[in-house]
Amino acid sequence: MALRLVSDFDLGKDVLPWLRAQRAALVAAGAGGGGPGVLENNYESLRVLNVERNGNIIYTYKDDKGNVFFGLYDYQTKQNEHLYTFEKDLQVVSCSVNRERTLLATSLVQAAKEGRRNELQPGSRCLTLLVEIHPINNVKVLKAVDSYIWVQFLYPHVESHPLPENHLLLISEEKYIEQLHIQVTREDGNRVVIKNSGHLPRERVAEDFVWAQWDMSEQRLYYIDLKKSRSVLKCIQFYADEHFSLMFEAPLDVSLSDSGFKLVNFGYDDLQDQEKLSKHPTLCVFTNHTGSLCVCYCPNFDSWEQITYSVLYFHKGHSKTFTATLGHVDSRVTKGITFLSLDYYVAVYLPGHFFHLLNIQHPDLICHSLFLTGNSEVIDMLPHSPLQSLSGPLVLDWCSGKLYRALLNQSYLLEFLWNTRLDCEKLALLQCVLSCGRDPRRLEAKIIQWISENISACHSFDLIQEFIIASSYWSIYPETSNMDKLLPYSSLLTWDTVHSFKGYWEKLNSNLEYVKYSKPHLHYNNSVVRREWHSLISEEKKGKRRSTVYVRNILDNAIKVISNLEARNLEPRLTPLFQEEDNHQRLLMGLMVSELKDHLLRHLQGVEKKKIEQMVLDYVSKLLDLICQILEASWRKHNLHPWVLHLNRRASAAEFAVFHIMTRILEATNSLFLPLPPGFHTLHTILGVHCLPLHNLLHYIDNGVLLLTEAAVTRLMKDLDNTEKNEKVKFSIIVRLPPLTGQKICRLWDHPVSSNIISRNHVKRLLQNYNKQPRSSMMDKSSFSVEFLPLNYFIEILTDIESSNPALYAFEGHDNVDAKFVEEAALKHTTMLLGL
């Protein structure tokens, strides 16, 4: 299924066997009943109470006499520990243990009477207690009230040494939250007792709230109060000392009732008023390490015909609301919607009806989110019991007492990608799979295989473009949190309340500042590279030269990229790439490195220049590597061999397939103006000559699809013999070459046509700077006497120019020149010009 739940804890497997072993040991020792293992008739009383920041799980159970036992499962050592026993028939509301396991806080109420439903009665007396448990000693009553109290110790980020002071939150059903400061001291060696237990300092943290959520991992309290019937979300951050700060308050466009009261992640909520809870909307806050802050909200609904829910992307400055039609009601479906945090995604699902995977990093493109409805296998395989998202990937099934890590199932998503026919699902799944980040090399190979078999099956976007851009983005994204603002993450991009703090709050503030002030141009694109590259190529054609140092620096950048790429790929390549200089692609590569480095240096404040330079090299190398991988996969699939480069043989179906893939790669990279591996154009052109009829070949050349590199044309001249068909090919290509390249290539072709071209070019060169001057002496006419007088005079001029500077006007390429043919060609040409 799309969601993979990895079990981290199971009451039935991790606790119950230990309890039974404890019971067996007590029986064997003759201790009789009353021990922690008397559970044969009370298994259903075993339940999870709380999960602390360090992963330790607190649970409770009752023996046959109704005594209440508290136990702890150590998440690191996988060991159980008995904490405390109340030898009274009480009902546990809440429980928390400090980090050192020296203090236990709990709130309890009178147990329900036999024959009555296991619910609290109005006016039930609630005792909130603080117990010294190292060793078991004093019990202090913190509160004795008629309303329910929930307790939670703070777990600050500090070293492993014991803290002299502990901090405890008390959350009251009367809609206030207090913080108690508890100093401890050690007596008689290792005995820990509460100091000044008669008076524990306390302070009010929040009041008049209707909803609160605890983030145990980050030690944050989110709560909502109503001001003039308007919901205001507030967040308090707790620190290692007793200090805490109100980080922000922001209005929410959600409807909450003052009569409602809901706690999230404060432990088992079975004792909250279920009638009120059923009328209370579902609401939760999710954050992650990138500085995202999402509020997921679903109002209470009376009809099962449709359901509406919203996601507020605080870090992006906007929200989205969705409505799903439910159709028939499945009796197995839990009453309520489930929101889960999955790193860069939020999952929203209702088993039997729909599964929605929302991209919270890039919510502006709704096509990057996956929405599935109906009775598909994906939906039916989701858990049917309500899950509570605790912090990060941790989710708890309160009913079964199981703790999971919720992850996206990369293998299943890949399989789904292969089978789906909808372009919107292909795009969402491609982005989702790449964001998982597990074993990227293997993952990229599988995606490339899928692309090669579905290259023409996608019409709404370019598969190769999206893959190259998205994969390159996710490969560099973990380096710094601001990459999503500075680098493109998709080929479809054209489709004041936070204080100055470090860590998460700094990242959230950065996100908000970006939303408030930034323009779309912060995302890097190759427009500057495009202009500069065209300028350099134009200057090269005109014979102009830019600063040698400037060009050398650009080409040095390209050398670094190729070295970086080769260092990461030790396996020999099948494709004949990187075997020629290909200065045009090296210039493009080097320019991209230069411009991207400048772009990141401008916008990535506080990141070392050396780190940015390496990130840029890694990014450009990744772009090239992905192109190489696509080509390698196609080459391997079709079992091509090096002799494909020889032109004196017929093309095979495999060569047609590889030529098609290369054309699609070229199409994808051209519009984004991305560099290609040196040698790509040569290989593409050779395959084009193999696979295309002459008129198609010339059409591809004239429209810039095939580039006539010197290496490709040189091979063509050498490999093709001078049959009538091949002469047409050679001549058609020679006349399309730039003049300088054409002159070089003509010297390789021993043919009258090439001789004619060489002669013309030589004469043109002689006459370019000719200034008519009186000549003191005439040449010896006997050796060049012809009957056509104008030609005699012309030859005299050319000879005179050559003799005036033999080194400058030396005739090159004479090996393939037929002198008689040149004379006849010149005479014919002159005759035509004179109309004779």
Side-chain angles (χ1 to χ4, degrees), residues 550-568:
Y550 173 74
V551 176
R552 187 188 303 125
N553 287 338
I554 292 174
L555 293 176
D556 284 347
N557 287 339
I559 292 172
K560 292 176 184 177
V561 169
I562 294 173
S563 298
N564 192 52
L565 176 60
E566 296 297 343
R568 292 170 177 240

Side-chain angles (χ1 to χ4, degrees), residues 516-535:
K516 189 174 180 181
Y517 298 112
S518 70
K519 305 293 182 186
H521 68 253
L522 275 186
H523 274 122
Y524 173 80
N525 65 70
N526 272 341
S527 57
V528 175
V529 172
R530 186 192 300 264
R531 289 195 300 270
E532 182 66 5
W533 186 81
H534 281 304
S535 175

